[in-house]
Amino acid sequence: MKILVINGPNLNMLGIREPQIYGRTTYEDLCARIRDHAQKIGAEVEIYQSNHEGDLVDRIQAAYGNIDGIVINPAAYTHTSVALLDALKAVGIPAVEVHISDVSAREDFRQISFVRRACFASVIGHGIDGYLEAMDLLWESYREN
Ligand code: DQA
């Protein structure tokens, strides 16, 4: 199984940005944990981060035909991007949405998630572990299908 982990804008600043909300784990540490976990469950993993909406759309499109599951934290684009929703729908790859923070308990503008409609599960507010939980969900659904 091949999993693609996609991170949107400002997630490359993890560990530096608002540590009281997102914690002290750096983006590099997050990538290392994702790679370790992939090895543990016996999946291949690719990790992609961009601050640009169109680049994220391009990466989702490029996954068509060669990726079995997508973990996506679209960051701020969660709350604004129909383009990311459409890209996920276009490729039809099973996807899980992740948010490090508990967006449901934050500002009003964070209460909307466009991509959620194209994801079979959402892991919200579980910190960095949420990415690993999302990988497990993809792995389980891949094995069942
Ligand atoms: C986030 C939550 C978003 O509202 C925010 O814009 C982010 C990160 C999270 O992981 O908690 O950049 O997706």
Side-chain angles (χ1 to χ4, degrees):
M1 174 186 203
K2 192 158 182 190
I3 295 174
L4 171 64
V5 179
I6 298 180
N7 278 302
N10 301 306
L11 289 168
N12 55 315
M13 298 287 286
L14 275 181
I16 299 165
R17 74 180 289 214
E18 301 178 273
Q20 70 284 5
I21 296 175
Y22 300 111
R24 298 246 170 229
T25 304
T26 64
Y27 180 69
E28 289 67 32
D29 291 342
L30 168 65
C31 293
R33 289 204 54 201
I34 288 168
R35 289 201 182 90
D36 278 359
H37 196 68
Q39 217 173 15
K40 201 172 123 196
I41 64 177
E44 271 183 75
V45 73
E46 207 175 301
I47 307 173
Y48 180 78
Q49 190 275 330
S50 176
N51 295 323
H52 306 280
E53 186 175 15
D55 289 345
L56 295 164
V57 169
D58 286 346
R59 188 62 196 89
I60 293 168
Q61 288 186 6
Y64 182 71
N66 58 80
I67 292 288
D68 304 302
I70 294 176
V71 173
I72 185 162
N73 183 347
Y77 292 137
T78 308
H79 318 300
T80 61
S81 181
V82 177
L84 288 178
L85 167 64
D86 286 349
L88 288 171
K89 282 184 162 175
V91 297
I93 299 169
V96 178
E97 172 191 22
V98 171
H99 297 288
I100 297 166
S101 66
D102 181 4
V103 281
S104 70
R106 297 181 64 192
E107 300 95 326
D108 285 353
F109 61 82
R110 293 184 208 275
Q111 302 311 313
I112 268 210
S113 167
F114 286 96
V115 298
R116 196 160 300 165
R117 293 166 187 246
C119 296
F120 75 85
S122 301
V123 183
I124 296 170
H126 294 186
I128 296 303
D129 288 348
Y131 287 85
L132 316 185
E133 289 169 33
M135 291 168 75
D136 288 342
L137 290 171
L138 285 173
W139 177 242
E140 281 158 26
S141 96
Y142 182 76
R143 266 199 327 205
E144 281 163 15
N145 296 311

